[in-house]
Amino acid sequence: MSSTGEAPIHGDILEAIFSHVPLIHLVPVSHVSNSWKRAVSSSLAHVRPIKPWLIVLTQSLRHSHVTTLHAYDPRSHVWLQIKNTARSHASPVRSSHSTLFYALTPSEFSFSLDALHLKWHYAPSPRVWRTNPVVARVGSRVVVAGGACEFEDDPLAVEMYDVNSQAWEACPSMPALLKSSTASSWLSVAVAGEIMHVTEKHSGVTYSFETISKTWKGPFSLRPHESVFHCVTGTLGERLMVAGLIGKVGNVKGVKLWEVRVRGGLGSGMEEVGEMPKEMVRKLFSGSELGSVEVTWIGDFVYVRNTSEPEELVLCEVLNHLNGVGCEWRSVRNAAVRCGARMVFCGGSVCMEDLQRAVMSENPTFSMKHV
């Protein structure tokens, strides 16, 4: 090399540099050269891995067809606006499970399963007309349970839609003990493997629906402690978890996370994983009302929000250490808030292949949003 030539940047230095570059900017970077591509892959594998995104869909209260998608990337600590080219919606978009958006009309059931929620599936509506059911993805099926209209014979009706065969199948109804709280606003849903767990948020009473055998089991109690007045279940990886609000309505004193022990039977015990710092509790839950707390679970992340404080989010990353499980908490300013619009939250397990398809397409998919 001549004395005037530029010195090469070695791989380990590139890896360190790339660990500070926002994830979407690493897509074009990986196309610079083969050595840079290898450095990007190594940086993501060993220095700062990809972390699941929080996806937020905002929908106009007056014009339901007007929607906007935002994403929060916890690896890069940035908000992104996602160009949404999906067909407009004639009804409210909802999310009762942390990895799925859906919309329901008398004639159509539409839902989105991909990581960035850019693709929507369209199916005939379920046989039973519902307004606010529990909806969850379980393997290749989407389960729709409860939430039936008053004029329907069975408010506890359950149906499953098979994405592969594109057909609906009737299933055994939800247990009678859940009859007074069949709407998703009163129930929490978690999926572990081929099993859907449905929990009544106030009492912690839980039933499990095995989608292979189409049977219900329970009841089990997933209320961690008598001081917990509001329970929300979810999964982190393969672990069944509970987020519990401690205190009473209008006076939330704490938020804790528990892992549910499944050996020996569901509800046989729980282990406390972490507690939200008191200053975050005060910031998030001043004036909180029952039913206003929403929790999104994705990967090893838990996002907690209070609908009466739309600009505030608290996230927790659950980490596995040699001496046990630990939690890292932080506050995030919600950049997706728009006046006159409702927000729906879910998660996306984004990978580089998803971003390659989106970023390298003819039409730009992302724009950075600074907070």
Side-chain angles (χ1 to χ4, degrees):
M1 181 182 294
S2 66
S3 59
T4 58
E6 295 183 359
I9 303 177
H10 295 287
D12 55 345
I13 299 176
L14 276 177
E15 292 173 15
I17 293 172
F18 292 158
S19 69
H20 298 283
V21 176
L23 187 61
I24 60 165
H25 293 164
L26 290 179
V27 175
V29 165
S30 66
H31 289 266
V32 171
S33 66
N34 287 333
S35 62
W36 281 38
K37 183 178 181 179
R38 288 192 296 270
V40 168
S41 298
S42 182
S43 179
L44 292 175
H46 305 295
V47 184
R48 183 169 289 182
I50 296 175
K51 297 179 179 181
W53 288 10
L54 177 70
I55 310 294
V56 185
L57 185 145
T58 58
Q59 185 174 34
S60 171
L61 294 173
R62 297 184 62 184
H63 308 287
S64 60
H65 65 280
V66 178
T67 60
T68 306
L69 273 178
H70 288 86
Y72 176 72
D73 174 9
R75 173 195 175 273
S76 310
H77 307 296
V78 297
W79 282 93
L80 307 165
Q81 185 166 334
I82 303 175
K83 184 177 180 181
N84 186 9
T85 58
R87 196 175 80 189
S88 60
H89 301 280
S91 61
V93 177
R94 303 180 186 276
S95 177
S96 67
H97 182 224
S98 292
T99 61
L100 176 145
F101 284 138
Y102 77 92
L104 186 61
T105 70
S107 60
E108 185 179 73
F109 174 62
S110 56
F111 56 95
S112 176
L113 303 172
D114 64 291
L116 295 173
H117 297 282
L118 296 174
K119 180 182 178 181
W120 284 74
H121 301 261
Y122 300 94
S125 61
R127 298 182 183 91
V128 176
W129 172 232
R130 310 161 191 270
T131 55
N132 191 16
V134 168
V135 181
R137 176 189 183 178
V138 186
S140 62
R141 302 176 179 88
V142 178
V143 182
V144 182
C149 292
E150 294 181 358
F151 56 78
E152 292 286 355
D153 294 333
D154 184 7
L156 300 166
V158 178
E159 296 173 74
M160 278 197 308
Y161 181 78
D162 191 302
V163 177
N164 296 325
S165 66
Q166 300 182 359
W168 285 100
E169 180 181 5
C171 301
S173 298
M174 300 171 72
L177 193 61
L178 298 175
K179 187 173 183 178
S180 60
S181 55
T182 62
S184 64
S185 55
W186 298 105
L187 296 175
S188 175
V189 60
V191 174
E194 298 293 332
I195 301 176
M196 179 181 77
H197 304 285
V198 179
T199 302
E200 205 281 319
K201 293 178 181 178
H202 176 66
S203 65
V205 171
T206 300
Y207 286 90
S208 301
F209 180 64
E210 299 184 358
T211 56
I212 302 299
S213 62
K214 301 180 183 63
T215 56
W216 287 92
K217 292 185 178 180
F220 312 100
S221 176
L222 293 188
R223 186 184 181 190
H225 190 268
E226 60 182 11
S227 62
V228 174
F229 73 94
H230 191 79
C231 305
V232 181
T233 53
T235 49
L236 296 181
E238 295 297 321
R239 297 176 293 182
L240 182 61
M241 307 288 292
V242 175
L245 272 61
I246 299 168
K248 60 182 180 181
V249 179
N251 184 20
V252 179
K253 295 182 178 180
V255 179
K256 291 185 178 182
L257 300 179
W258 286 268
E259 180 176 353
V260 180
R261 299 195 193 105
V262 293
R263 291 183 179 179
L266 194 66
S268 59
M270 298 186 194
E271 181 179 351
E272 184 177 325
V273 172
E275 181 174 7
M276 183 184 294
K278 295 298 183 183
E279 63 272 16
M280 295 184 186
V281 174
R282 289 191 292 268
K283 189 176 182 180
L284 193 62
F285 292 111
S286 57
S288 175
E289 297 179 0
L290 182 63
S292 66
V293 178
E294 296 185 356
V295 182
T296 302
W297 312 77
I298 182 69
D300 291 324
F301 284 81
V302 187
Y303 292 86
V304 184
R305 80 181 191 100
N306 177 6
T307 55
S308 64
E309 301 286 346
E311 294 185 349
E312 298 295 333
L313 286 169
V314 172
L315 73 83
C316 174
E317 183 176 8
V318 180
L319 304 169
N320 291 310
H321 301 294
L322 292 176
N323 56 350
V325 178
C327 292
E328 290 186 1
W329 300 83
R330 66 176 181 263
S331 293
V332 177
R333 196 72 172 169
N334 184 3
V337 175
R338 286 198 303 131
C339 182
R342 55 187 293 272
M343 292 184 292
V344 192
F345 291 70
C346 76
S349 295
V350 177
C351 64
M352 279 298 281
E353 287 74 16
D354 297 321
L355 300 181
Q356 292 274 4
R357 287 191 295 268
V359 172
M360 305 306 289
S361 63
E362 294 181 359
N363 298 316
T365 305
F366 301 104
S367 61
M368 195 82 77
K369 190 159 187 176
H370 298 281
V371 182

